[in-house]
Tab-separated table of all heavy atoms in Angstrom:
chain	number	residue	atom	x	y	z
V	592	GLU	N	-30.760	86.243	-111.644
V	592	GLU	CA	-30.113	84.957	-111.450
V	592	GLU	C	-28.912	85.130	-110.535
V	592	GLU	O	-28.179	86.109	-110.648
V	592	GLU	CB	-29.625	84.390	-112.794
V	592	GLU	CG	-30.727	83.870	-113.661
V	592	GLU	CD	-30.209	83.324	-114.982
V	592	GLU	OE1	-29.077	83.686	-115.381
V	592	GLU	OE2	-30.917	82.549	-115.616
V	593	PRO	N	-28.691	84.165	-109.660
V	593	PRO	CA	-27.548	84.282	-108.757
V	593	PRO	C	-26.241	83.975	-109.488
V	593	PRO	O	-26.238	83.329	-110.530
V	593	PRO	CB	-27.832	83.218	-107.705
V	593	PRO	CG	-28.706	82.219	-108.365
V	593	PRO	CD	-29.487	82.939	-109.416
V	594	THR	N	-25.142	84.460	-108.932
V	594	THR	CA	-23.833	84.081	-109.453
V	594	THR	C	-23.001	83.501	-108.318
V	594	THR	O	-23.365	83.635	-107.145
V	594	THR	CB	-23.078	85.293	-110.053
V	594	THR	OG1	-23.321	86.416	-109.202
V	594	THR	CG2	-23.543	85.606	-111.439
V	595	VAL	N	-21.898	82.868	-108.674
V	595	VAL	CA	-21.073	82.198	-107.681
V	595	VAL	C	-20.418	83.233	-106.762
V	595	VAL	O	-19.955	84.276	-107.206
V	595	VAL	CB	-19.977	81.367	-108.371
V	595	VAL	CG1	-19.208	80.563	-107.335
V	595	VAL	CG2	-20.597	80.437	-109.396
V	596	LYS	N	-20.435	82.919	-105.438
V	596	LYS	CA	-19.691	83.740	-104.476
V	596	LYS	C	-18.470	82.931	-104.055
V	596	LYS	O	-18.640	81.748	-103.765
V	596	LYS	CB	-20.565	84.048	-103.262
V	596	LYS	CG	-21.738	84.962	-103.579
V	596	LYS	CD	-22.391	85.506	-102.319
V	596	LYS	CE	-23.394	84.526	-101.733
V	596	LYS	NZ	-24.241	85.132	-100.682
V	597	PRO	N	-17.280	83.455	-103.901
V	597	PRO	CA	-16.879	84.821	-104.190
V	597	PRO	C	-16.867	85.094	-105.702
V	597	PRO	O	-16.821	84.144	-106.454
V	597	PRO	CB	-15.484	84.913	-103.575
V	597	PRO	CG	-14.978	83.509	-103.563
V	597	PRO	CD	-16.181	82.634	-103.450
V	598	PRO	N	-16.821	86.369	-106.102
V	598	PRO	CA	-16.695	87.549	-105.246
V	598	PRO	C	-18.003	87.867	-104.503
V	598	PRO	O	-19.067	87.765	-105.080
V	598	PRO	CB	-16.384	88.662	-106.242
V	598	PRO	CG	-17.029	88.219	-107.515
V	598	PRO	CD	-16.929	86.730	-107.521
V	599	PHE	N	-17.862	88.195	-103.235
V	599	PHE	CA	-19.019	88.594	-102.449
V	599	PHE	C	-19.425	90.023	-102.826
V	599	PHE	O	-18.572	90.806	-103.277
V	599	PHE	CB	-18.685	88.523	-100.962
V	599	PHE	CG	-18.563	87.104	-100.474
V	599	PHE	CD1	-17.334	86.464	-100.456
V	599	PHE	CD2	-19.687	86.408	-100.053
V	599	PHE	CE1	-17.220	85.149	-100.030
V	599	PHE	CE2	-19.581	85.096	-99.618
V	599	PHE	CZ	-18.350	84.465	-99.603
V	600	PRO	N	-20.703	90.354	-102.613
V	600	PRO	CA	-21.130	91.720	-102.934
V	600	PRO	C	-20.282	92.780	-102.228
V	600	PRO	O	-20.089	93.874	-102.763
V	600	PRO	CB	-22.574	91.763	-102.441
V	600	PRO	CG	-23.034	90.353	-102.498
V	600	PRO	CD	-21.835	89.525	-102.172
V	601	ALA	N	-19.750	92.445	-101.041
V	601	ALA	CA	-18.937	93.419	-100.326
V	601	ALA	C	-17.659	93.756	-101.090
V	601	ALA	O	-17.053	94.806	-100.880
V	601	ALA	CB	-18.592	92.893	-98.942
V	602	GLU	N	-17.256	92.833	-102.005
V	602	GLU	CA	-16.085	93.146	-102.834
V	602	GLU	C	-16.536	93.739	-104.169
V	602	GLU	O	-16.076	94.788	-104.595
V	602	GLU	CB	-15.269	91.872	-103.094
V	602	GLU	CG	-14.773	91.208	-101.833
V	602	GLU	CD	-14.577	89.713	-102.037
V	602	GLU	OE1	-15.535	88.962	-102.012
V	602	GLU	OE2	-13.453	89.290	-102.226
V	603	SER	N	-17.463	93.006	-104.838
V	603	SER	CA	-17.918	93.466	-106.133
V	603	SER	C	-19.417	93.173	-106.236
V	603	SER	O	-19.823	92.052	-106.477
V	603	SER	CB	-17.145	92.720	-107.233
V	603	SER	OG	-17.754	92.953	-108.476
V	604	GLY	N	-20.207	94.206	-106.029
V	604	GLY	CA	-21.651	94.015	-106.027
V	604	GLY	C	-22.331	94.817	-107.107
V	604	GLY	O	-22.018	94.652	-108.293
Side-chain angles (χ1 to χ4, degrees):
Chain V
E592 286 180 340
T594 40
V595 186
K596 292 193 277 192
F599 288 93
E602 301 153 281
S603 168

